[in-house]
Amino acid sequence: MSQQQTKNCITLRGSAQIICEYLKFAINSVLFQRGLYPPETFKAEQQYGITLLISEDAEIKSFLTNLLTQSEEWIVNKKVSKLSLVILNVANKEVLECWDFNVQYEDGDVALSKEKNETVGSKDLKKIQQEIRDVMLQVAATISYLPFLDCRCSFDVLVHAKTDCDVPEMWAEAKPISIANAQNVQLKNFSTSLHKMETVVSYKLAD
Amino acid sequence: MAQDGDMSLFNAVIKPFRRVCNKDPPKDKLSSDTTLNFSDSNQSLKDGLNNLLSGKRKSSISMNDVSTPEKRVRTDSDSTPTAPPSPWETKRLKIDLIAAKAQITKLESRINHQHTICKEMQILFEEEKGSLVEQHKRDERALSDMEDRLQLIRRREQELKDEYNQAIKEHKEHKALWDKEKGDLQKQIADMRDKLLECSVSCKDQLSEMKKDMDELLQALEGSQSEVEMLKTEVTKQTSRAEQCTTLRTQLEKTTFELQSVTNKLKELEYERDSYKDWQQQAKTAQKRLTNMAELEKEVARLRAQERSLRDSICNKLLLEEQVHLLQSRVDALQPVQNELHEAKVKLASLESSLEEWKAAARAHGIDNPRSLSSTLDSALNGQLNATAASSQAQSQLAQLTEEVASMKFERDKATGKLNELLTVRKNQESLIHRLQKRLLLVTRERDSYRQQLDCYEKELTVTLCGEPGAGSAALLSARVEQLEKALQGYRDLLATHDQTAHTKLVETLRAESSKWREEAETLKRDVAKLRAQRDQLHANLERIGAQSQTKVLHLANNPAAEAQKQITAELEAAQEELKQLKATLRDGINVSRACPEEVQQLKQQLESSRIKLKRLKEEFTSSAQEYRNVCYMLLGYKIDRTGHKNYRISNMYAESSEEYLSFTLDDDGIEMVHTDYSSTLGELVELHLHQHRSIPLFLSALTMELFTRTTMQQVQ
């Protein structure tokens, strides 16, 4: 018993927070790596044992906080299956790149959950962070093979939620996107033992 | 008052006691002794009462004592007579006895009466005593009250005494203060008296002085009164003189008024004289101007000439403009021609260069004449034709080859089908071989087991043979051995039937085939793995598509992409707007810049200069015209206004109002006067000068004369 108590215990909420934190850093990292915003608007921050860049732009900040607080709720309620960071050409709305963050729900530590009357996981936080770090490093490495974005680009985040999910205020339904002649690259996965995050980048293959 | 009241009440209470106990000495003063005396008086009262009661008792007792001796006496008397009583005596004695008895009864009744009285008295006395006791109690209460009051009074007295003492002290202090003040005041009074004395002395001195002054003043008054009288007399004299003066003044005023009127007249005259001088001057100037008239006329002529020249120049300018316009139109017409010319030149140049090139190419090919060129060209074309034919052939061959390839492919497919069939066959055979091998194994094992059994039997046999063998068992064994050998032989035959060498060959071929098939299978497995991966991918895609249909896509309404979109649309609109504006300006600019800008500039400058000239001319003209009009007005006395086409209105210099004007119209024959209100008043002049003399200038000068005489007459008047 005492051994189990000292074990790491991750609640559903905590797991969702970890996921959303990862999303925040991943989206910021992509925005920086893909050069959507000028590099001087980013600030270096230590996270997961590596230096990551976070946008200081007030609009991006507010957008991400709005997005991630709502997404966290949805993830806790198992409403979301996928979040897509879409990079599109502003001039003709063409989708150039799509970063899919697939969320899969896992059972966690069943025995511990029964004991606590709450779904909890028992994965070591350090291990999770290690996994996330690996993914972040991969994200940083994608710049070597992703095509150069030579037009004015902007981004949007699409949340693939269940159909019974209510549309909150300030949210709207969007059309699903598709990239013609797409190339998919699956990055490493990580799991909090309650949620499994699968990161896939699909980009338009250069002609 | 309260004390007196108390005292009277007290006396009223005390009185009966005093009556009762006269022995007590009368007490006038209220003191503690009185209370003590009260107890004494009570005591004495009680004593009194006891005495009284005892007195009565004593009296009764004394009375009894009085009677008793009598009885005793009688008894003594009874006992003493010793001689026998006589009847009379007895009778008397009897009577006496009866009397005595009667007396006794009487006395007894009296005693009883006395007893009742005594009892009554006792009752009375007790009642009185109760009442007295009550009174005593009341008195005591009253006394206690009185004592309380007394104490109160004493306290008051004490307080009053204290107050008194205080008051006395204060009084003493005040007295001391007042004494001091008194002393001061007395001192002051003394001072004041001294001062008063001084003042009185000074006052007396002043008074004396004042009296002296008064006397002096009185004397002066008397003097002044006399003077006043003198002055009055003088005043009367002066008033008379003043009256004379007023009369003189009125006279003076009259004279001054006359003087003023005279001076006014003088001024008027001077004014007239001045005006006359002015007239003279004006006349002189007019003369001078008249002399200048010739020059002016010259000038006018000059100006006219100038004007004419200017007009000519304007006409010339217009002509020039027309010419310029014509030339421009021509230039416009000629420009495209020129352009065409240029283009043609360019084309020519290019053609020449191409020709040169052609020539050079021809020379390179060793051809100098166009004919040889054509021949070579023909040969080349023929070669090309041959080549095309060959290519078409080749193409047909290619088609054939492709067809062959297709057929080959078909065959290959067929072969692969056969291959598959063969594969299945091979598999069957493999399974067969496997089965056979298994059977072989089984058979060999069986054989081995039989051998073992045989060995065992042999051993047993040897044992039994060595031991005590039964004849029957030996026979049995031998029979069995035989049987077994037979079976063995059968097996051997069976083995022999299976030809070993053929079998091995077949196996080898089969093995080779199987290895081949295995390789193929491996390749196929690889393909399968690939296909599976593809399938998985496709499944994943399908799942994604399915998931998309199951999920709905949400995003924040104000996402950066939408904002950027908005921004870019706004920018686009702004740019389009700007483009429109620029286009509009460009269009305007084209219109402006179509004509040669330098020429335009020149023309503008010319226009500006000519405008300035015109303006100056106008100014000059208006000023000269004004001057001319003024001169006419001054010389001829008429102001001539042009009121319309060929209508002229003239008003005289000496006209009385602006209403007095004449109007003329210019006809083909000459000039005619038009009827006006004013002209109707000039019937005589019209009759004389217009109808008879038929001269308008004469009429006008006559009118001038008349008006002049009229105004001058008025002025003179």
Side-chain angles (χ1 to χ4, degrees):
Chain A
M1 278 300 282
S2 60
Q3 256 189 331
Q4 273 193 337
Q5 291 252 316
T6 52
K7 255 189 184 175
N8 269 315
C9 182
I10 297 167
T11 57
L12 203 60
R13 172 70 65 178
S15 173
Q17 276 171 1
I18 288 168
I19 293 288
C20 285
E21 196 179 47
Y22 162 72
L23 285 171
K24 177 184 153 194
F25 282 104
I27 289 166
N28 269 303
S29 196
V30 168
L31 294 183
F32 175 74
Q33 298 289 351
R34 306 300 291 132
L36 261 73
Y37 291 91
E40 59 266 21
T41 61
F42 288 84
K43 186 186 75 179
E45 207 169 287
Q46 281 287 329
Q47 185 76 18
Y48 311 124
I50 47 171
T51 306
L52 293 170
L53 287 136
I54 294 291
S55 178
E56 293 264 82
D57 191 301
E59 279 182 33
I60 297 172
K61 270 182 164 178
S62 73
F63 171 74
L64 284 179
T65 45
N66 280 341
L67 172 86
L68 294 173
T69 44
Q70 185 58 54
S71 301
E72 192 185 312
E73 279 307 311
W74 277 331
I75 289 167
V76 168
N77 296 324
K78 297 188 181 183
K79 295 277 188 193
V80 177
S81 62
K82 186 166 83 174
L83 284 104
S84 305
L85 168 63
V86 183
I87 295 172
L88 33 77
N89 186 352
V90 178
N92 53 6
K93 292 190 184 182
E94 189 192 9
V95 179
L96 302 172
E97 225 173 275
C98 179
W99 291 77
D100 285 338
F101 301 100
N102 295 320
V103 185
Q104 285 166 27
Y105 301 96
E106 293 177 331
D107 294 330
D109 196 333
V110 179
L112 199 62
S113 302
K114 268 186 186 172
E115 198 179 296
K116 296 236 171 188
N117 260 337
E118 185 186 18
T119 37
V120 290
S122 60
K123 195 167 177 177
D124 189 18
L125 190 67
K126 275 189 181 173
K127 202 177 175 193
I128 297 167
Q129 288 197 341
Q130 173 85 42
E131 285 178 6
I132 294 174
R133 183 168 65 204
D134 292 347
V135 182
M136 294 308 294
L137 287 171
Q138 268 196 321
V139 168
T142 52
I143 194 163
S144 58
Y145 56 83
L146 286 175
F148 179 64
L149 300 171
D150 56 350
C151 56
R152 189 173 161 182
C153 296
S154 189
F155 77 100
D156 190 7
V157 178
L158 306 177
V159 179
H160 295 257
K162 282 186 183 170
T163 42
D164 61 343
C165 177
D166 293 328
V167 181
E169 202 182 348
M170 289 166 63
W171 286 74
E173 279 200 45
K175 284 176 189 168
I177 55 101
S178 61
I179 302 174
N181 194 13
Q183 185 76 24
N184 295 320
V185 177
Q186 169 105 36
L187 303 185
K188 281 181 185 169
N189 299 334
F190 77 90
S191 166
T192 65
S193 78
L194 289 172
H195 296 104
K196 190 179 170 193
M197 174 56 77
E198 197 174 48
T199 311
V200 181
V201 56
S202 46
Y203 58 94
K204 192 182 170 187
L205 201 62
D207 298 322
Chain B
M1 280 296 281
Q3 275 182 2
D4 291 344
D6 289 343
M7 285 293 276
S8 61
L9 209 139
F10 186 66
N11 286 332
V13 172
I14 288 291
K15 253 183 193 174
F17 293 97
R18 277 183 192 158
R19 254 179 253 152
V20 173
C21 17
N22 279 327
K23 285 173 188 174
D24 297 330
K27 278 130 191 166
D28 295 333
K29 279 181 185 173
L30 276 165
S31 64
S32 56
D33 300 338
T34 52
T35 49
L36 286 169
N37 283 338
F38 267 122
S39 58
D40 290 347
S41 66
N42 282 350
Q43 196 63 44
S44 62
L45 198 116
K46 279 174 186 173
D47 290 349
L49 277 170
N50 289 338
N51 287 342
L52 209 136
L53 288 167
S54 62
K56 276 183 181 175
R57 270 175 206 161
K58 273 173 189 173
S59 64
S60 61
I61 290 159
S62 62
M63 279 170 85
N64 285 341
D65 289 344
V66 168
S67 57
T68 45
E70 283 177 4
K71 273 184 177 176
R72 265 175 212 162
V73 169
R74 264 176 274 159
T75 55
D76 287 350
S77 57
D78 285 338
S79 54
T80 50
T82 46
S86 58
W88 183 71
E89 271 185 14
T90 59
K91 269 182 183 179
R92 222 191 59 179
L93 278 168
K94 278 180 181 178
I95 293 157
D96 284 342
L97 191 73
I98 293 157
K101 277 182 184 174
Q103 224 176 343
I104 287 160
T105 53
K106 264 187 185 176
L107 283 165
E108 277 177 350
S109 68
R110 208 185 265 179
I111 284 159
N112 286 331
H113 187 67
Q114 285 288 329
H115 275 292
T116 55
I117 285 166
C118 182
K119 279 174 186 172
E120 280 175 5
M121 283 300 279
Q122 271 181 341
I123 290 157
L124 264 171
F125 275 127
E126 277 172 0
E127 281 177 358
E128 217 166 313
K129 195 182 146 189
S131 67
L132 280 167
V133 165
E134 278 177 12
Q135 214 171 2
H136 177 67
K137 280 176 186 169
R138 255 184 269 151
D139 288 345
E140 274 181 341
R141 263 182 241 149
L143 267 168
S144 63
D145 288 349
M146 293 299 282
E147 275 173 0
D148 292 344
R149 273 184 194 174
L150 201 72
Q151 277 175 353
L152 269 170
I153 286 155
R154 270 179 193 161
R155 269 181 220 150
R156 269 186 212 163
E157 201 179 18
Q158 195 62 38
E159 283 168 7
L160 282 166
K161 266 180 187 171
D162 292 344
E163 278 176 20
Y164 177 67
N165 285 331
Q166 273 187 345
I168 281 166
K169 273 183 193 169
E170 280 175 13
H171 174 67
K172 274 176 185 169
E173 283 168 8
H174 283 301
K175 205 181 172 185
L177 276 169
W178 284 335
D179 282 342
K180 272 185 192 172
E181 278 178 18
K182 205 174 112 185
D184 292 342
L185 285 166
Q186 273 173 352
K187 275 180 192 171
Q188 277 182 354
I189 287 160
D191 290 345
M192 295 291 274
R193 266 180 194 160
D194 292 346
K195 278 182 188 172
L196 195 77
L197 277 171
E198 280 173 15
C199 278
S200 61
V201 169
S202 64
C203 276
K204 273 173 189 170
D205 293 347
Q206 277 181 347
L207 262 171
S208 60
E209 278 174 15
M210 293 283 272
K211 270 175 187 172
K212 277 179 193 170
D213 285 346
M214 271 289 277
D215 290 341
E216 282 172 11
L217 283 166
L218 279 169
Q219 283 174 357
L221 190 78
E222 279 171 6
S224 61
Q225 273 178 348
S226 61
E227 271 178 23
V228 161
E229 279 170 6
M230 289 261 285
L231 285 165
K232 271 178 183 172
T233 52
E234 271 183 28
V235 160
T236 50
K237 281 179 195 169
Q238 290 288 331
T239 48
S240 60
R241 272 186 200 168
E243 279 168 8
Q244 284 176 348
C245 277
T246 47
T247 51
L248 278 166
R249 197 193 273 169
T250 50
Q251 279 177 349
L252 192 81
E253 277 172 357
K254 276 177 191 168
T255 51
T256 50
F257 182 71
E258 279 169 11
L259 195 81
Q260 272 181 348
S261 63
V262 166
T263 50
N264 281 338
K265 274 181 185 172
L266 200 78
K267 272 179 187 170
E268 277 174 14
L269 283 166
E270 275 180 352
Y271 177 71
E272 275 177 18
R273 198 193 64 190
D274 288 344
S275 65
Y276 182 69
K277 275 180 183 171
D278 288 347
W279 278 114
Q280 273 184 339
Q281 275 181 350
Q282 272 185 355
K284 275 179 189 171
T285 51
Q287 275 176 347
K288 276 181 188 172
R289 275 177 191 172
L290 272 168
T291 52
N292 287 336
M293 188 65 184
E295 286 174 19
L296 281 167
E297 273 176 354
K298 275 180 195 168
E299 231 175 65
V300 164
R302 195 163 50 86
L303 283 165
R304 270 179 191 158
Q306 217 174 3
E307 203 186 334
R308 235 172 263 152
S309 66
L310 282 165
R311 269 180 193 162
D312 290 346
S313 67
I314 285 161
C315 285
N316 288 338
K317 201 203 96 181
L318 281 168
L319 268 170
L320 280 166
E321 274 178 358
E322 272 178 18
Q323 275 180 350
V324 162
H325 187 68
L326 268 169
L327 283 167
Q328 261 183 348
S329 59
R330 258 186 219 174
V331 163
D332 289 341
L334 281 170
Q335 259 176 350
V337 174
Q338 206 177 2
N339 286 338
E340 276 175 21
L341 195 75
H342 277 298
E343 279 171 12
K345 273 181 183 174
V346 167
K347 268 184 189 174
L348 202 71
S350 62
L351 283 167
E352 274 178 355
S353 63
S354 59
L355 194 70
E356 280 298 315
E357 277 175 17
W358 279 110
K359 275 180 181 173
R363 270 174 209 150
H365 286 282
I367 299 150
D368 292 332
N369 302 333
R371 273 179 200 168
S372 57
L373 181 73
S374 62
S375 63
T376 48
L377 269 174
D378 283 339
S379 61
L381 276 168
N382 283 329
Q384 224 170 3
L385 273 168
N386 291 334
T388 46
S391 73
S392 63
Q393 266 187 340
Q395 271 181 349
S396 61
Q397 274 179 349
L398 190 76
Q400 272 184 342
L401 281 168
T402 48
E403 270 176 23
E404 276 175 18
V405 164
S407 60
M408 290 294 275
K409 270 183 186 171
F410 182 68
E411 277 174 18
R412 193 197 66 183
D413 288 344
K414 266 188 189 174
T416 48
K418 274 182 186 173
L419 196 74
N420 284 333
E421 279 171 24
L422 281 167
L423 267 174
T424 48
V425 167
R426 193 203 70 169
K427 270 180 190 170
N428 289 335
Q429 282 183 347
E430 268 182 355
S431 60
L432 253 172
I433 289 161
H434 198 64
R435 255 182 269 159
L436 278 169
Q437 276 175 347
K438 270 186 182 172
R439 204 179 276 177
L440 197 72
L441 264 173
L442 276 170
V443 166
T444 48
R445 272 180 201 162
E446 220 177 349
R447 190 194 64 186
D448 289 346
S449 66
Y450 281 132
R451 264 187 194 160
Q452 274 174 357
Q453 261 185 348
L454 207 69
D455 289 343
C456 285
Y457 284 129
E458 272 175 356
K459 273 178 192 171
E460 272 174 31
L461 202 73
T462 51
V463 167
T464 47
L465 279 170
C466 292
E468 297 163 347
S473 63
L476 266 171
L477 265 174
S478 62
R480 204 182 271 177
V481 166
E482 272 174 22
Q483 265 185 340
L484 283 168
E485 273 175 351
K486 272 179 191 172
L488 195 71
Q489 197 58 45
Y491 281 125
R492 271 177 190 159
D493 292 345
L494 204 144
L495 267 171
T497 51
H498 288 291
D499 190 8
Q500 198 68 37
T501 51
H503 188 75
T504 47
K505 271 182 187 173
L506 202 138
V507 164
E508 268 172 14
T509 50
L510 279 170
R511 265 184 193 157
E513 234 174 277
S514 71
S515 62
K516 220 202 284 177
W517 291 127
R518 261 177 206 154
E519 274 170 17
E520 266 185 38
E522 267 170 19
T523 52
L524 285 166
K525 266 177 191 169
R526 268 176 232 146
D527 287 349
V528 162
K530 269 186 197 172
L531 286 168
R532 266 188 193 151
Q534 271 186 354
R535 194 200 62 183
D536 286 349
Q537 222 172 359
L538 287 168
H539 268 298
N541 278 340
L542 261 175
E543 270 175 17
R544 206 178 297 159
I545 289 157
Q548 273 175 6
S549 66
Q550 277 172 10
T551 56
K552 63 178 175 183
V553 182
L554 294 171
H555 70 147
L556 271 168
N558 55 344
N559 54 61
E563 274 166 25
Q565 200 75 36
K566 269 184 208 166
Q567 208 180 336
I568 207 157
T569 48
E571 275 174 19
L572 199 72
E573 276 173 17
Q576 275 175 349
E577 197 73 22
E578 207 181 328
L579 200 71
K580 270 183 194 170
Q581 279 182 357
L582 283 168
K583 270 182 183 168
T585 49
L586 203 66
R587 221 172 285 145
D588 295 345
I590 285 162
N591 287 345
V592 168
S593 63
R594 192 164 286 168
C596 187
E598 281 177 18
E599 216 171 332
V600 165
Q601 202 64 31
Q602 274 184 348
L603 284 167
K604 268 182 183 171
Q605 277 178 357
Q606 276 184 6
L607 197 72
E608 196 64 30
S609 60
S610 59
R611 263 179 198 159
I612 289 162
K613 268 183 197 169
L614 204 70
K615 202 178 164 189
R616 277 181 195 158
L617 273 170
K618 268 182 186 169
E619 277 170 10
E620 188 68 33
F621 181 74
T622 47
S623 62
S624 55
Q626 192 62 41
E627 197 185 323
Y628 181 70
R629 269 168 60 83
N630 285 342
V631 165
C632 281
Y633 184 61
M634 281 190 285
L635 293 177
L636 305 173
Y638 281 103
K639 194 165 82 182
I640 306 169
D641 296 310
R642 195 182 175 201
T643 52
H645 183 65
K646 290 181 177 178
N647 284 324
Y648 294 90
R649 190 171 74 186
I650 62 169
S651 49
N652 199 291
M653 190 190 272
Y654 304 105
E656 284 164 347
S657 68
S658 59
E659 294 291 310
E660 294 181 355
Y661 62 86
L662 297 166
S663 54
F664 293 89
T665 56
L666 197 65
D667 272 350
D668 298 335
D669 305 333
I671 197 158
E672 278 188 2
M673 196 177 86
V674 181
H675 182 82
T676 56
D677 292 340
Y678 181 59
S679 68
S680 59
T681 58
L682 308 168
E684 276 181 35
L685 287 170
V686 168
E687 185 64 31
L688 183 66
H689 298 295
L690 291 181
H691 292 170
Q692 286 191 7
H693 297 139
R694 291 188 177 278
S695 169
I696 291 164
L698 194 62
F699 165 70
L700 290 176
S701 41
L703 184 64
T704 314
M705 282 294 287
E706 194 187 322
L707 287 170
F708 180 73
T709 49
R710 210 185 282 170
T711 50
T712 47
M713 282 285 278
Q714 274 176 350
Q715 273 185 349
V716 167
Q717 276 172 357

